[in-house]
Amino acid sequence: MKKFNNIMAFSISFIILSLTILFIFSEKQDYSENEFRYLAKMPSFSFSKLLNGSYIEDIEEYTTDQFVYRDFWVKAKTNIFLGINNKLINDVYMAKDGYLINRFKKPNNTAKIINILNKFYDNNPNIKINMMLVPTASSIYKDKLPKYNINYDEEKVIEEYQNNLKLNFINITDALLNNKNKYELYYKTDHHWTSYGAYIAYQSFLKEENKEYYNLNDFNVEVVNKDFLGTIYSKVFVYQNKDIITKISLDNPNFIIKHYNRTTNSFYEEKYLETKDKYSYFLGNNEALIEINNLDYKDEDNILIIKDSYANAFIPLISYHYKNIFVIDPRFYNLKISDFIKENNIQNVLILYNVGTIDTDTGITNIR
Amino acid sequence: MVFSSIPFIFFFLPFFLIIYYLVPFKVKNIILLIFSLIFYAWGEPIYILLMIFSSIVDYTNGMLLNKTKNKTKRKIILIESLIINLGLLGVFKYSDFLISNINSLFNLDISLLNLPLPIGISFFTFQTMSYTIDVYLEKVKPEKNFLNFMTYVSMFPQLIAGPIVRYETISEELEKREISLNNFSSGMMRFLEGLFKKVLIANTVGALYLEISTNYMMYSALTLLIGLMAFAIQIYFDFSGYSDMAIGIGKMLGFNYLENFNYPYISKSITEFWRRWHISLSSFFKDYVYIPLGGSRTTKFKHIRNILIVWFLTGLWHGASWNFILWGLYFGIILLIEKFALKNVLAKLPNILKHIYSLILILIGWLLFAFEDFTTLISYAKRLFGFHNNLLGNDFYFFISNFGIILIIGFIFATPIGKHIKEFMMKKKGLNIILGISYIGLFLITIALLVSDTYNPFLYFRF
């Protein structure tokens, strides 16, 4: 027993000391691409920070963030949990066919958000306001979730919005469900929809607008990347298949896209395909306001899209059918949107959010 | 700082141990004192003064008691110590509770002090107070060396979450103790076992409890039962794991603390449960409250009164909230019933029924303990018995399939079976290698969980 204890104590001490020494001499990282965040740095010392306890908190965060082989340990944790049959890790379901699906929790702010949107509707009389609240993979690919799960019912939440909103609500759940086996509508490792999912929404929306739309085979459908590991992957560090990013577009487009401090003529930002954040291939990072002019379009109709990042894959498709497309992301746009509507003489507004994050979206209160 | 954290395991502990082992014996107490103060200041840079103050007070009391034989003077010193220590505890732990009760009773609006609770105050005030009482009763000789006394009070292994170590337990070891490789190794093993209990079981099952208790409105009755069991497992592994780590570190330093837990969930009665749960606290109240009040060697009325006082205080010690008092009195009443009515009935029952009887009462106890807010408590309890919800739903199967294995591991290691398996394997050649490898494996898993998990709170940290 004594010998056993001594050998064990020696081995464990050896492990601890080696990791400590490795930590001290390891090169510290600034940014974790996998986690989409800056890692904690060694905090600078000050007496006031020491006294209010924040210095110590920072040191604890620093040692945990910069611990050697961090990704390895996180991946190990996921595998251990899978090993004891735990299929919900960091609020991610390990679903069938390689799908990682975010858990959908009971929302807390539905009534509040409905109230904000109804007020917005009242403040903008005589203006057509549509809304699409896009379901996520957790309802469209419900059949891929583990047999027993504790997801809240997404469709019920969408219906609650539909029944209480004054604006015109476009429910695209059925359209997506009808196509869920034909196309991969959502990424397996990211919380966004694919270009196919966005295409289904495009179709539904133009039907509602009584406009003609292109069929999928009128478009060029082109695979632009096969190495996409998205945000959900970053929560668990395991995957079965990498995702494929598809570009759905027409030949010879003639667009001017005005970003905050630059102007381009393509929706597609190639440079992001080289980074971790590949979804930003569509329209780049989220910005307060983007203005798109379609030079080939003959009529004069404009549209304002108030949106979260789901719309980024949708906007390139819808843009073929309007003269001017204004895109506002209220998370970054702090002015009064109603004023913007008046100033630019906009008659048509589409609010596009996904139901998975609308409840916690920080921009909703800016819709006024 | 908590033991189950990356900075403690990889920086504080190794750095401290290396210095502690390198310096000559005379200096060891001072090194221990310095590191203990750093350890405390790590979380509470200002309140450290409070602990030093409490130490100075009772060190002085000890010296004064040593000088005088005058009974009245001695009594005054004793009372002064009680007033100061209980006063500190009262101001920092109970003042807001008192104010809010006065407010609601007399419809007043006195503003709360909102003082943050100093870490470990419930433990160190009890330790210094027990010292003065013991010197007064001449059970121990007063400590003449202030640094030794301060080391005793502030010693970091047991500083923030117990066990409550009495001066008599370690007074000799403060002067002279065995620091050896064997003690180091067995202490380290004990520390590891506590760490595994905390990180692998308490934290994971704690996440389960957190999920069920936050969303209990959505779940079926049997799921709420799992939630309650998860709480029972979490609190036992959390707290006893912490005690194991404290005892283990103590041993690495050459100190022998008394055991604090002895498999409480295998008890056959509530009386037995309280002999096995948080032993240092129950024996504190027994020795310093129950027996001085006359204990059981008095009239039946006073005996009952004594028991209720002790359990009122035990409840109150756990937190400044009525549910803890209710929880304490709940056990006090059960103990009274066991003592005066059930004793003979229980003795005749088969063992299995005794276990079921005890576990059900313990679980109901945890229900009272878990919810500070009475409305939530009642709402949870109603759903636990299926008044407003299904008895069984898909959610139950979800929790069983996802957490079943870890719950079963928890059940098994709450009994002595794990210890028996370990001792058996250790004696057999071949098996002991497997045992050794599993310890290393578990340690690596612990690191993985600590590095990737931000969910790492100690339940008993704020008591």
Side-chain angles (χ1 to χ4, degrees):
Chain A
M1 174 144 163
K2 278 178 185 165
K3 198 177 149 201
F4 176 84
N5 282 347
N6 289 344
I7 294 173
M8 288 312 300
F10 177 79
S11 325
I12 298 285
S13 306
F14 179 76
I15 295 174
I16 292 179
L17 290 177
S18 336
L19 286 172
T20 306
I21 291 166
L22 276 173
F23 177 93
I24 293 170
F25 293 105
S26 70
E27 207 174 304
K28 309 294 181 287
Q29 278 185 307
D30 282 350
Y31 185 78
S32 163
E33 275 223 315
N34 276 326
E35 293 167 71
F36 294 101
R37 67 184 183 96
Y38 287 93
L39 298 175
K41 291 196 182 84
M42 180 71 190
S44 57
F45 181 83
S46 81
F47 268 105
S48 62
K49 277 203 284 183
L50 183 72
L51 290 183
N52 68 27
S54 70
Y55 181 70
I56 301 302
E57 269 170 34
D58 291 350
I59 286 215
E60 298 202 338
E61 210 181 305
Y62 167 74
T63 48
T64 311
D65 264 12
Q66 301 286 357
F67 199 77
V68 277
Y69 315 125
R70 184 175 157 79
D71 293 4
F72 164 81
W73 297 113
V74 178
K75 196 182 287 183
K77 182 207 152 177
T78 303
N79 283 307
I80 293 153
F81 275 58
L82 282 174
I84 59 166
N85 201 37
N86 193 323
K87 290 184 177 139
L88 177 64
I89 300 166
N90 284 354
D91 279 340
V92 172
Y93 287 105
M94 305 287 148
K96 286 169 208 144
D97 304 327
Y99 272 91
L100 303 172
I101 297 179
N102 271 335
R103 173 181 176 190
F104 184 68
K105 287 189 190 176
K106 185 181 181 198
N108 297 319
N109 303 315
T110 307
K112 205 174 113 199
I113 297 171
I114 287 172
N115 201 9
I116 291 171
L117 295 176
N118 280 342
K119 253 188 207 147
F120 179 71
Y121 176 85
D122 292 340
N123 287 342
N124 293 285
N126 306 322
I127 288 169
K128 186 162 68 172
I129 302 180
N130 285 304
M131 176 166 190
M132 285 203 283
L133 189 54
V134 183
T136 74
S138 90
S139 60
I140 300 303
Y141 288 128
K142 202 185 279 175
D143 51 340
K144 301 203 189 290
L145 286 173
K147 188 174 169 202
Y148 300 118
N149 62 70
I150 46 171
N151 255 7
Y152 197 73
D153 191 347
E154 245 182 47
E155 288 171 38
K156 210 162 101 185
V157 175
I158 294 176
E159 275 164 27
E160 196 182 338
Y161 276 97
Q162 178 161 20
N163 296 337
N164 294 296
L165 282 172
K166 296 182 186 170
L167 48 76
N168 182 42
F169 193 92
I170 307 170
N171 193 329
I172 56 169
T173 306
D174 287 338
L176 288 166
L177 283 174
N178 289 335
N179 289 284
K180 67 172 183 170
N181 296 323
K182 219 159 153 194
Y183 309 109
E184 251 175 37
L185 300 177
Y186 294 86
Y187 294 112
K188 290 179 169 175
T189 69
D190 193 82
H191 70 284
H192 291 104
W193 55 3
T194 63
S195 302
Y196 292 106
Y199 172 76
I200 303 296
Y202 151 88
Q203 222 181 24
S204 309
F205 180 66
L206 289 186
K207 271 185 204 163
E208 185 80 19
E209 285 273 273
N210 283 322
K211 285 189 171 224
E212 297 221 354
Y213 57 86
Y214 294 107
N215 287 320
L216 202 51
N217 41 21
D218 301 328
F219 281 113
N220 292 321
V221 177
E222 180 192 346
V223 170
V224 292
N225 192 285
K226 290 180 176 176
D227 289 320
F228 182 33
L229 288 173
T231 53
I232 313 187
Y233 161 78
S234 296
K235 290 190 188 171
V236 291
F237 283 118
V238 295
Y239 68 94
Q240 262 180 37
N241 311 99
K242 290 186 173 179
D243 274 308
I244 293 168
I245 296 178
T246 314
K247 172 181 168 185
I248 299 179
S249 62
L250 292 178
D251 284 336
N252 304 319
N254 204 354
F255 291 111
I256 295 174
I257 298 149
K258 294 173 188 155
H259 292 273
Y260 166 61
N261 52 6
R262 67 199 166 100
T263 301
T264 65
N265 41 38
S266 167
F267 297 108
Y268 306 101
E269 307 267 341
E270 300 287 338
K271 66 174 183 192
Y272 284 104
L273 294 178
E274 308 305 315
T275 68
K276 173 81 173 65
D277 180 20
K278 293 186 171 51
Y279 183 78
S280 291
Y281 173 69
F282 303 102
L283 272 180
N285 272 333
N286 292 314
E287 279 176 67
L289 172 66
I290 300 174
E291 186 186 335
I292 300 159
N293 308 131
N294 182 349
L295 303 180
D296 288 344
Y297 194 80
K298 302 292 179 294
D299 294 334
E300 283 301 318
D301 45 347
N302 298 344
I303 186 168
L304 165 67
I305 300 177
I306 301 170
K307 58 96 200 177
D308 66 10
S309 60
Y310 257 60
N312 293 16
F314 169 86
I315 289 163
L317 301 172
I318 210 77
S319 295
Y320 294 109
H321 303 272
Y322 294 90
K323 180 82 190 164
N324 298 305
I325 302 97
F326 302 95
V327 180
I328 285 183
D329 190 327
R331 282 171 294 184
F332 310 100
Y333 187 87
N334 294 320
L335 303 174
K336 206 170 167 191
I337 298 177
S338 304
D339 292 344
F340 183 89
I341 291 172
K342 278 182 208 114
E343 283 155 21
N344 292 278
N345 197 21
I346 287 162
Q347 297 304 315
N348 194 358
V349 176
L350 169 65
I351 301 174
L352 193 156
Y353 277 86
N354 82 88
V355 70
T357 54
I358 189 170
D359 199 59
T360 51
D361 192 284
T362 51
I364 294 289
T365 45
N366 277 340
I367 303 182
R368 60 213 155 97
Chain B
M1 189 165 17
V2 293
F3 295 158
S4 60
S5 70
I6 295 291
F8 182 80
I9 299 169
F10 289 93
F11 297 94
F12 185 90
L13 190 61
F15 190 57
F16 161 68
L17 284 174
I18 289 169
I19 296 178
Y20 181 82
Y21 271 79
L22 285 180
V23 298
F25 187 84
K26 275 183 188 167
V27 198
K28 285 196 199 304
N29 281 355
I30 295 173
I31 292 294
L32 175 56
L33 174 60
I34 293 171
F35 273 85
S36 296
L37 294 180
I38 295 174
F39 181 89
Y40 191 89
W42 193 263
E44 306 268 321
I46 296 174
Y47 279 155
I48 195 168
L49 298 171
L50 220 56
M51 184 175 71
I52 296 173
F53 171 71
S54 176
S55 310
I56 294 175
V57 166
D58 284 291
Y59 169 76
T60 319
N61 288 338
M63 297 306 281
L64 290 174
L65 283 170
N66 197 30
K67 280 200 188 113
T68 174
K69 288 266 178 283
N70 181 317
K71 273 192 182 164
T72 341
K73 276 188 188 163
R74 290 175 71 85
K75 218 164 223 164
I76 290 172
I77 296 167
L78 175 73
I79 290 168
E80 167 256 320
S81 165
L82 296 183
I83 288 174
I84 291 180
N85 282 303
L86 294 175
L88 282 181
L89 205 54
V91 170
F92 285 95
K93 191 169 174 179
Y94 298 105
S95 52
D96 280 353
F97 177 55
L98 195 68
I99 293 173
S100 58
N101 278 312
I102 291 174
N103 280 347
S104 60
L105 203 62
F106 300 107
N107 230 343
L108 295 172
D109 196 22
I110 310 169
S111 55
L112 300 180
L113 303 177
N114 284 323
L115 292 170
L117 182 67
I119 292 175
I121 191 168
S122 312
F123 293 95
F124 70 70
T125 48
F126 270 37
Q127 292 199 171
T128 57
M129 199 163 60
S130 75
Y131 164 78
T132 300
I133 300 173
D134 285 354
V135 176
Y136 173 81
L137 296 172
E138 293 176 340
K139 269 165 62 182
V140 295
K141 287 203 184 99
E143 174 67 64
K144 299 208 170 87
N145 182 334
F146 176 69
L147 286 182
N148 277 357
F149 185 72
M150 188 74 225
T151 310
Y152 153 68
V153 177
S154 68
M155 213 183 282
F156 78 86
Q158 99 287 345
L159 178 60
I160 55 178
I164 301 165
V165 177
R166 294 200 208 160
Y167 179 70
E168 61 179 331
T169 313
I170 59 161
S171 60
E172 280 172 25
E173 286 171 344
L174 280 169
E175 302 287 340
K176 192 171 166 248
R177 56 184 176 266
E178 192 201 335
I179 298 171
S180 65
L181 178 63
N182 287 338
N183 269 347
F184 175 83
S185 304
S186 66
M188 181 131 176
M189 292 298 277
R190 187 67 190 268
F191 175 80
L192 282 180
E193 283 157 15
L195 185 68
F196 299 162
K197 276 164 113 175
K198 162 69 185 152
V199 178
L200 304 180
I201 299 181
N203 281 3
T204 37
V205 174
L208 167 65
Y209 168 72
L210 186 69
E211 170 57 42
I212 295 178
S213 62
T214 359
N215 299 318
Y216 71 92
M217 299 274 220
M218 285 161 52
Y219 295 137
S220 53
L222 281 175
T223 298
L224 298 203
L225 181 62
I226 294 187
L228 196 55
M229 289 176 169
F231 184 78
I233 292 181
Q234 182 194 9
I235 196 160
Y236 167 67
F237 281 91
D238 195 277
F239 197 13
S240 76
Y242 200 96
S243 288
D244 288 335
M245 289 188 268
I247 293 169
I249 298 172
K251 192 130 204 190
M252 289 161 96
L253 309 182
F255 291 100
N256 289 292
Y257 298 159
L258 300 177
E259 290 296 329
N260 210 15
F261 287 89
N262 185 19
Y263 303 103
Y265 291 149
I266 62 167
S267 303
K268 295 207 240 351
S269 68
I270 295 302
T271 313
E272 187 184 351
F273 173 73
W274 278 102
R275 268 188 245 125
R276 292 172 174 273
W277 177 275
H278 204 176
I279 300 165
S280 65
L281 181 74
S282 351
S283 69
F284 184 96
F285 279 115
K286 188 178 146 221
D287 292 347
Y288 296 110
V289 181
Y290 183 67
I291 291 177
L293 283 174
S296 58
R297 294 178 188 171
T298 172
T299 63
K300 202 167 187 179
F301 170 77
K302 281 191 173 165
H303 183 189
I304 292 173
R305 179 205 66 183
N306 295 348
I307 287 181
L308 290 177
I309 289 177
V310 163
W311 289 95
F312 172 84
L313 292 175
T314 304
L316 186 63
W317 182 87
H318 280 82
S321 167
W322 281 106
N323 73 305
F324 294 117
I325 296 171
L326 185 69
W327 175 78
L329 289 175
Y330 162 83
F331 279 116
I333 288 165
I334 295 175
L335 290 173
L336 281 174
I337 296 172
E338 282 190 358
K339 207 168 224 123
F340 292 115
L342 272 181
K343 209 176 194 174
N344 299 324
V345 186
L346 270 178
K348 282 178 203 138
L349 286 180
N351 276 345
I352 176 86
L353 288 182
K354 289 185 203 163
H355 285 302
I356 293 174
Y357 154 86
S358 313
L359 283 173
I360 289 177
L361 289 181
I362 293 166
L363 278 180
I364 296 174
W366 289 136
L367 187 63
L368 301 177
F369 192 93
F371 298 100
E372 286 189 27
D373 165 47
F374 277 114
T375 345
T376 324
L377 168 69
I378 288 164
S379 158
Y380 192 99
K382 276 187 180 166
R383 281 156 205 274
L384 178 65
F385 295 107
F387 280 113
H388 295 303
N389 51 349
N390 297 331
L391 192 62
L392 185 62
N394 263 344
D395 52 315
F396 173 76
Y397 297 115
F398 167 81
F399 287 111
I400 284 296
S401 73
N402 280 265
F403 291 93
I405 293 176
I406 190 78
L407 283 171
I408 289 170
I409 293 173
F411 291 145
I412 292 174
F413 283 92
T415 73
I417 296 172
K419 193 175 82 180
H420 295 320
I421 296 174
K422 178 188 148 195
E423 279 162 7
F424 174 78
M425 287 177 85
M426 222 165 3
K427 283 179 205 137
K428 292 256 158 77
K429 271 238 162 68
L431 282 183
N432 60 5
I433 297 176
I434 296 176
L435 183 68
I437 293 172
S438 13
Y439 266 82
I440 291 176
L442 289 176
F443 182 60
L444 295 177
I445 295 176
T446 302
I447 302 176
L449 261 57
L450 283 180
V451 173
S452 50
D453 235 354
T454 42
Y455 180 78
N456 189 28
F458 260 121
L459 280 189
Y460 263 76
F461 205 52
R462 284 283 169 185
F463 283 92

